[in-house]
Amino acid sequence: MAEITVTFEDGAAERLPAGITAAEAMRRHAGRDGGRARLERAVAARVEADGSTVVDLTRPLLRDCRVAPVAVETPEGLEVIRHSTAHLMAQAVKRLFPETQITIGPVIENGFYYDFKRPGGFASEDLPRIEETMRAIVAEDLPVRREEVARGEAVRRFREMGEHYKVEIIEGIPDDVVSLYHQGEFVDLCRGPHVPSTGRIPAFRLTSLAGAYWRGDARNEQLQRIYGTAWASEQDLEAYLKRLEEAKQRDHRRLGQVLDLYSLHPIAPGSPFFHAKGAVVYNTLVQYIRSLYARYGYTEVITPLIYKTELWKTSGHYDAFHDDMFLMTIEDEEYGVKPMNCPGHCYLFATRKHSYRDLPVRYADFSRLHRFEPSGTLAGLVRVRSMAQDDAHIYCAPEQLDGELERFVAMTREVYAAFGFDRVEVTLQTRPEKFLGRLELWEAAEAALRRALERAGYAVTVLEGQGAFYGPKIGFDFRDVLERSWTLATVQIDCAMPERFGLRYVTAEGTEATPVMLHRAVLGSLERFIAILLEHTAGRLPLWLAPVQVRVLPVSEKAAAYATRVADACRAAGLRAEADLRNEKLGYKVREAQVEKVPAVAVVGEREAAAGTVAPRTEGAAQPAVPLDAFVAATVAEACVPGGEP
RNA sequence: GCCGAUGUAGCUCAGGGGUAGAGCAGCUGACUUGUAAUCAGCAGGUCGUCGGUUCGACUCCGACCAUCGGCUCCA
């Protein structure tokens, strides 16, 4: 029999019969070096020949290669068990509900899902039953077997089983041979790799039930998706579930209530009411951005909230989005509440004749916008129907475009640095199927965005076809506590509106030209930004943004007068300060100030009143007393808006 | 919009076909307080809304509304 050379992790090489399985090869070698324990923890094998691939432990080795075990707790190992758990779940579902058709079941971050079509559907009470059956199948420790068959044969078998979605998938595969995985009575189309037997799946939990569309298209049949999570051990599973629980403590919807920042009411779904404290955060953010506008050369404008719909017919928004707008008919004329500022700014630009010397024109606008977002998509402050952006539109000459993009990236960087946001994910979203404007403009615009990102040195994910209908865009995305991704900053080059609105400027040569138009926002929507900021800081807003910056706590009524004087002194210095004069013990007031995350707490008793000092409590701990003036000066220093006037 | 779940006092939650419960918050009083909850009393509800079943519904059924987790969408 032919032999091959197999090299192991320790560098040793052995001549072994071709066709030996990866597991057997490692087992023979381990017998000599004592690595059996590691082998028992392996769920797959890494084989390196031409490239490096993770394969089944039962995969036969046919050529010279290096082979190493893949431990269950490694990223590759977790991927294997998660995929195997998806199969396990599908098998359990088929046992309990044989009328169900299986579709696809991929691995996702921290877990997996599987999409099913079941007449009558699943209810969440089904999940515990499915889990129970899964545990039974683990106890059966069914061997998992890979089989390669001709595509036609695979189609025939799945058709016989009544698995029509699988048939459709296989028919779309270009290869002549496909691989199937068997475990007991269950068989699924799959590339693998998988654990060698169902008993090797250590810990899992089914987490939720959701709707999903076949092939991700809303025009297709609605399937049901069951989500689960799987880990290398019960302890890891518990730790993961605990992390999820802890993340909920930082959820902006909880913090928004505890901190009395905003609320939502069914009378205006998706439209937050900002309470007095939330309004301070909102307005301070606007003030911060305004201070940067002075430096970055923007001029602020105020434009109408309601327009005749002709405006969006010109811009193209009406065709694409009129179902998603708040529309009304007044005196037989249709009007709409603006969902974005751009068309209004185009009218503004056209109110006078522009010279190349005026450009770039940068119109900033903090107007409220109203979008009729679908009911099922609303979420706290991150997806709303009523919002305001730190929006601006830039009109420039083509040769100014690169400079404007660079200026935008610089401003974005400055703002994110001020908030300590470092987990940004940058995407470039290109021309969608339905688009307006000339193709050559689109190509030039996409090239300009690519250049800007390259110069900025961002690692970029390209999302083909995800751009706006009027132009390609860059998105700066951040994760919320549930790891969902949301766009904050964006910059978009408009390939349609300048021409549709007939915008012109006079060039140096005295001819007329169409300006380049940019849409951009740095914070994005203020609502969404506040949500991400709250979650990022766990509610401990920086002092300059905190609704209450200083709270003065008298130890007893005897210090009430002095506490009032201290609070007045803080307010005179421009701080948002208040004295807590309620008839409560100090410990009670301290606790409340902590819970409300007031950044600067000053305790005053008879000693402080006599000495003209305060005893600060910062970062959750009592500090030695300092003179009142020094406390005020230090707090004022911390209250400076970042990057603002010195 | 679609699938699944949830909705009881301002908040967090218990309860269950036969007159609605707790803790915190609120109000009143006592205590005069030294760094994460002092004590007592009082008040607070169309049990999301509308309809149905029933002698009787907060509880069972249906529709709707809102919220939550996904899917689709996201100018």
Side-chain angles (χ1 to χ4, degrees):
Chain A
M1 191 177 193
E3 288 199 330
I4 55 172
T5 302
V6 178
T7 311
F8 296 92
E9 277 186 296
D10 57 8
E14 285 192 41
R15 296 290 292 169
L16 292 167
I20 188 170
T21 67
E24 182 54 24
M26 289 190 286
R27 195 170 299 120
R28 286 198 198 174
H29 186 70
R32 278 168 232 166
D33 77 354
R36 274 184 189 271
R38 287 198 56 218
L39 203 46
E40 274 161 25
R41 294 186 55 71
V43 289
R46 171 175 292 287
V47 174
E48 291 176 37
D50 297 336
S52 171
T53 45
V54 177
V55 300
D56 298 326
L57 284 165
T58 53
R59 180 69 75 92
L61 304 178
L62 301 172
R63 338 165 18 189
D64 292 354
C65 60
R66 299 178 70 91
V67 61
V70 171
V72 64
E73 68 276 6
T74 60
E76 295 90 347
L78 287 170
E79 187 164 340
V80 169
I81 60 167
R82 285 168 185 161
H83 204 168
S84 294
T85 313
H87 277 215
L88 175 66
M89 177 170 77
Q91 183 175 17
V93 165
K94 290 290 286 185
R95 275 194 190 178
L96 287 166
F97 315 108
E99 71 282 9
T100 307
Q101 288 189 64
I102 58 175
T103 70
I104 54 161
V107 172
I108 53 173
E109 209 172 336
N110 296 325
F112 60 90
Y113 67 78
Y114 211 113
D115 286 349
F116 301 101
K117 182 68 190 179
R118 179 183 170 209
F122 294 97
S124 42
E125 296 95 78
D126 296 328
L127 263 45
R129 286 184 65 198
I130 296 168
E131 246 182 43
E132 200 179 309
T133 305
M134 288 167 73
R135 279 191 290 273
I137 299 169
V138 168
E140 289 167 25
D141 197 17
L142 301 172
V144 176
R145 182 171 63 84
R146 179 190 172 93
E147 179 194 18
E148 295 190 354
V149 300
R151 190 181 50 189
E153 167 67 10
V155 167
R156 193 188 60 74
R157 286 204 218 164
F158 280 101
R159 183 168 289 140
E160 214 162 77
M161 289 186 271
E163 296 285 3
H164 303 298
Y165 294 93
K166 280 289 175 201
V167 169
E168 202 180 316
I169 293 167
I170 299 167
E171 282 174 338
I173 294 176
D175 308 337
D176 294 332
V177 175
V178 299
S179 57
L180 307 181
Y181 276 80
H182 298 260
Q183 53 195 55
E185 78 287 0
F186 180 76
V187 57
D188 199 354
L189 169 80
C190 191
R191 272 206 197 83
H194 281 284
V195 294
S197 69
T198 57
R200 300 293 279 275
I201 296 174
F204 59 85
R205 186 76 51 89
L206 301 187
T207 50
S208 64
L209 181 59
Y213 298 102
W214 169 234
R215 293 191 184 281
D217 190 328
R219 289 167 300 194
N220 289 341
E221 262 186 282
Q222 174 109 35
L223 308 174
Q224 275 181 303
R225 174 171 300 177
I226 302 177
Y227 285 91
T229 186
W231 294 86
S233 66
E234 282 295 334
Q235 294 92 301
D236 286 1
L237 172 63
E238 292 301 326
Y240 168 71
L241 297 173
K242 190 156 174 255
R243 279 202 303 281
L244 284 188
E245 278 309 307
E246 283 167 357
K248 284 185 190 152
Q249 294 299 305
R250 303 165 67 100
D251 192 307
H252 76 274
R253 288 164 297 197
R254 181 186 159 275
L255 289 169
Q257 184 178 286
V258 172
L259 303 180
D260 193 21
L261 298 177
Y262 77 96
S263 57
L264 289 162
H265 195 281
I267 203 68
S271 306
F273 288 65
F274 280 92
H275 300 6
K277 288 178 179 172
V280 168
V281 178
Y282 181 111
N283 284 325
T284 307
L285 284 170
V286 169
Q287 181 200 328
Y288 167 54
I289 294 297
R290 279 199 177 113
S291 75
L292 296 183
Y293 280 165
R295 195 141 47 78
Y296 282 92
Y298 290 79
T299 50
E300 191 173 338
V301 298
I302 297 170
T303 52
L305 188 60
I306 296 171
Y307 301 80
K308 294 183 181 175
T309 47
E310 181 195 334
L311 182 74
W312 296 291
K313 287 173 182 160
T314 304
S315 71
H317 287 97
Y318 194 87
D319 276 351
F321 291 107
H322 78 275
D323 283 344
D324 306 312
M325 288 176 64
F326 289 96
L327 297 172
M328 64 195 100
T329 300
I330 309 282
E331 284 185 338
D332 297 329
E333 185 100 44
E334 192 179 33
Y335 290 80
V337 182
K338 69 176 166 188
M340 84 303 294
N341 292 309
C342 33
H345 288 179
C346 287
Y347 265 80
L348 187 55
F349 184 85
T351 52
R352 52 167 283 203
K353 199 156 175 100
H354 287 275
S355 150
Y356 71 96
R357 294 172 191 276
D358 305 335
L359 303 184
V361 166
R362 306 188 188 94
Y363 292 142
D365 197 330
F366 293 100
S367 173
R368 293 215 67 76
L369 306 173
H370 298 264
R371 301 178 175 183
F372 194 80
E373 301 283 1
S375 55
T377 64
L378 301 176
L381 287 184
V382 282
R383 188 83 185 264
V384 292
R385 286 181 176 160
S386 165
M387 58 187 274
Q389 299 173 313
D390 61 330
D391 195 16
H393 295 96
I394 299 170
Y395 301 87
C396 66
E399 61 273 19
Q400 294 171 321
L401 175 59
D402 285 350
E404 287 304 308
L405 292 173
E406 203 170 322
R407 179 182 287 254
F408 167 76
V409 170
M411 181 170 170
T412 304
R413 283 220 157 112
E414 176 174 350
V415 170
Y416 289 162
F419 292 104
F421 282 12
D422 46 14
R423 282 184 67 199
V424 63
E425 296 160 61
V426 181
T427 62
L428 172 65
Q429 303 171 42
T430 61
R431 194 180 70 247
E433 270 176 45
K434 283 180 74 179
F435 67 97
L436 298 180
R438 301 201 313 272
L439 205 56
E440 62 267 29
L441 286 180
W442 276 87
E443 282 166 0
E446 288 181 10
L449 293 181
R450 278 177 206 275
R451 276 199 305 278
L453 288 171
E454 223 162 85
R455 271 202 303 267
Y458 281 117
V460 177
T461 308
V462 178
L463 302 174
E464 297 291 351
Q466 298 294 296
F469 67 84
Y470 52 70
K473 62 182 175 186
I474 293 172
F476 292 74
D477 296 356
F478 293 82
R479 302 288 187 105
D480 68 11
V481 287
L482 299 180
E483 294 293 328
R484 297 179 296 197
S485 194
W486 302 97
T487 297
L488 295 184
T490 181
V491 59
Q492 310 168 1
I493 301 179
D494 200 306
C495 302
M497 271 188 242
E499 288 186 2
R500 292 171 75 94
F501 282 96
L503 304 184
R504 313 294 281 166
Y505 70 98
V506 179
T507 66
E509 291 74 39
T511 57
E512 286 206 326
T514 304
V516 174
M517 177 179 178
L518 297 182
H519 307 239
R520 42 105 291 164
V522 177
L523 302 180
S525 104
L526 285 154
E527 284 75 7
R528 183 176 287 177
F529 186 84
I530 289 169
I532 298 293
L533 179 63
L534 281 173
E535 299 189 352
H536 179 78
T537 60
R540 283 184 283 276
L541 295 171
L543 194 135
W544 65 275
L545 270 174
V548 176
Q549 294 172 315
V550 181
R551 185 171 291 164
V552 187
L553 309 183
V555 172
S556 79
E557 262 172 41
K558 289 172 193 153
Y562 181 63
T564 305
R565 278 218 304 287
V566 170
D568 286 345
C570 292
R571 275 195 295 271
L575 295 167
R576 295 184 288 270
E578 59 190 30
D580 184 350
L581 302 179
R582 291 174 306 168
N583 183 16
E584 295 291 350
K585 290 182 122 173
L586 181 58
Y588 180 89
K589 296 181 192 177
V590 164
R591 176 176 190 278
E592 204 150 283
Q594 290 288 133
V595 168
E596 289 175 31
K597 304 183 200 304
V598 176
V601 171
V603 173
V604 296
E606 292 174 272
R607 290 201 296 271
E608 287 76 16
T613 59
V614 303
R617 183 187 166 89
T618 53
E619 283 145 36
Q623 309 294 335
V626 296
L628 174 57
D629 291 352
F631 173 76
V632 172
T635 311
V636 166
E638 207 186 327
C640 268
V641 172
E645 311 309 305

